[in-house]
Amino acid sequence: MRPLKAYINLSALTFNLQLVKKIAKNSKVMAVLKANAYGHGLVQSVKAIKSADGIAILTIEEAIKIRGAGFKNTILLLEGLFTAEDIYEAEKLELNLVVHNEQQIEYLNDATLKNPINVHLKINTGMNRLGFPPDQIDYLIENLNVNPNVSGITLMTHFATADEKEGIAKQLACFNRITNNYNFSSSVANSAALYKFPEARLDWVRPGIMLYGASPFEDISAKKMDVKPVMSLISKIIALQNIKKGQAVGYGNNYIAKKDMRIGIVACGYGDGYPRHAKTGTPVFVHHKNTTTVGRVSMDMLYVDISNIADAKIGSKVEMWGNHISVDEVAKNSGTVGYELLCNISASSRVPMEYLDG
């Protein structure tokens, strides 16, 4: 059996949820489990965060699995209804719905429900992705208030730059101008806003990436945030090469040794979800020591410098990210974000997952 495996520490996920609750204080926590719980496994993750006030996902199919796992609290469909028929399944599963376009309003108007649904009205405060413009909100609220299919309204928006220098001030001010005249519950904070901006911790917070032990920020590490990594991507060295100064490693000859080197070949590549664009010097943990990758990542393999790890050999353990190497550091060296790398692992059918309770 190929040695590559992703280990999922469910206790770390539970720990991170409790940390979020501590930060959020009086806000309810809507844990975001979209994209197969950011690559960690939906059903297993539900069991680790069963104390969350709610779970946010994208599809009816995910909601069915979550209810099947025994979760009784709020489930929110972040993109709302995709078809008119979905509303009846949402009623059956007792889901909350984001409403962000006129078509979804029509679905609500045209349905005949026995049990009305809680609606989260999405306001576009500047991200320009989903949501209604501010000048339509009063009209929409007036109509939703008299819609027999609507049991309640929550007002929400999403920040475009909560993790960047610009922050949330402009979008939050827009949201507050619209919503201060109403007494509805509100939800605006993603992981970055929840951690950095207390004024964004309204009735609901929506943590995502920080639940999985990674950081939404370039300048604040997961370690500084006190979150624990949930996923560890582990493999082994499957071959050794001793190369001379001036020799190349891997495809394209884009790494030329500046000295005699000892190279470990690791069973993990971009076909498994490791980033192809990880540059030479990306950190990796080999046989209890930190080192770096060299050369271009292949589909099934990558190359690590073990020149200074004398006891490294075929079969030595290699951590691509996890307890010793932050997924955010790997992402930074690959021109991407930790979110993508975590999601890529479950997108690959080649990486078995093993779930740990501690």
Side-chain angles (χ1 to χ4, degrees):
M1 181 181 292
R2 194 160 175 257
L4 180 63
K5 187 175 288 188
Y7 293 89
I8 309 299
N9 186 338
L10 296 176
S11 293
L13 182 53
T14 303
F15 173 89
N16 294 338
L17 174 63
Q18 296 307 315
L19 178 65
V20 164
K21 287 186 171 184
K22 184 178 179 180
I23 296 170
K25 295 183 178 178
N26 296 322
S27 301
K28 292 182 179 181
V29 175
M30 180 80 72
V32 181
L33 268 65
K34 61 182 180 177
N36 196 27
Y38 287 46
H40 293 71
L42 180 64
V43 172
Q44 295 85 352
S45 296
V46 169
K47 295 175 181 178
I49 60 149
K50 58 186 177 183
S51 65
D53 300 291
I55 288 175
I57 38 84
L58 292 189
T59 69
I60 294 285
E61 291 77 14
E62 289 170 311
I64 291 170
K65 291 178 181 178
I66 292 169
R67 287 293 188 226
F71 189 77
K72 304 294 186 184
N73 292 343
T74 299
I75 298 177
L76 175 65
L77 291 182
L78 283 168
E79 292 180 0
L81 303 170
F82 297 110
T83 71
E85 293 74 25
D86 284 346
I87 196 168
Y88 297 103
E89 194 67 33
E91 176 190 23
K92 178 181 176 182
L93 294 166
E94 299 181 353
L95 307 183
N96 286 16
L97 303 176
V98 168
V99 174
H100 60 81
N101 64 42
E102 290 290 347
Q103 181 69 74
Q104 293 173 339
I105 295 290
E106 290 182 19
Y107 293 156
L108 278 169
N109 290 337
D110 294 343
T112 302
L113 303 180
K114 296 179 181 179
N115 301 298
I117 288 175
N118 192 290
V119 164
H120 293 234
L121 182 62
K122 189 77 171 274
I123 304 171
N124 177 14
T125 57
M127 186 166 180
N128 295 317
R129 188 175 66 176
L130 298 181
F132 294 97
D135 61 4
Q136 293 184 16
I137 300 306
D138 289 340
Y139 168 78
L140 291 166
I141 288 175
E142 181 180 345
N143 282 272
L144 289 171
N145 263 332
V146 297
N147 190 323
N149 292 323
V150 176
S151 61
I153 300 172
T154 297
L155 302 176
M156 68 182 296
T157 195
H158 193 66
F159 296 126
T161 55
D163 56 339
E164 299 179 13
K165 186 176 180 179
E166 184 177 341
I168 67 169
K170 186 176 179 180
Q171 282 189 260
L172 184 59
C174 177
F175 183 83
N176 287 339
R177 282 195 302 271
I178 298 164
T179 61
N180 279 347
N181 293 327
Y182 297 101
N183 193 29
F184 299 125
S185 62
S186 297
S187 173
V188 299
N190 55 7
S191 289
L194 161 64
Y195 181 81
K196 200 170 184 179
F197 301 104
E199 63 271 28
R201 300 167 195 159
L202 305 180
D203 300 288
W204 286 93
V205 294
R206 306 190 305 270
I209 193 65
M210 68 184 297
L211 287 176
Y212 307 99
S215 172
F217 305 103
E218 285 192 7
D219 58 343
I220 303 175
S221 68
K223 185 176 181 180
K224 187 173 182 179
M225 293 176 68
D226 292 326
V227 294
K228 294 182 178 181
V230 178
M231 180 191 291
S232 294
L233 185 62
I234 306 293
S235 191
K236 292 181 180 179
I237 292 174
I238 61 170
L240 303 171
Q241 295 290 342
N242 292 298
I243 65 172
K244 299 294 185 181
K245 179 181 178 179
Q247 289 186 313
V249 177
Y251 282 119
N253 292 344
N254 72 337
Y255 179 79
I256 307 297
K258 296 179 181 179
K259 60 182 179 179
D260 293 352
M261 298 179 70
R262 189 165 175 255
I263 303 296
I265 316 302
V266 182
C268 180
Y270 64 78
D272 305 298
Y274 192 87
R276 181 178 182 272
H277 297 293
K279 62 186 180 182
T280 291
T282 298
V284 64
F285 192 73
V286 178
H287 201 65
H288 313 300
K289 293 183 180 179
N290 288 310
T291 186
T292 63
T293 64
V294 295
R296 183 180 296 168
V297 176
S298 301
M299 183 182 292
D300 310 311
M301 290 168 279
L302 54 84
Y303 320 105
V304 295
D305 181 3
I306 54 171
S307 302
N308 296 319
I309 310 177
D311 51 351
K313 58 187 179 181
I314 292 176
S316 289
K317 182 179 176 180
V318 180
E319 178 191 288
M320 275 63 69
W321 62 71
N323 293 320
H324 303 92
I325 303 296
S326 168
V327 69
D328 299 316
E329 281 298 307
V330 179
K332 184 177 180 180
N333 279 272
S334 309
T336 186
V337 290
Y339 303 73
E340 181 182 13
L341 302 191
L342 295 174
C343 291
N344 281 349
I345 298 306
S346 68
S348 168
S349 60
R350 307 200 316 172
V351 185
M353 289 193 175
E354 184 171 324
Y355 292 88
L356 311 173
D357 291 326

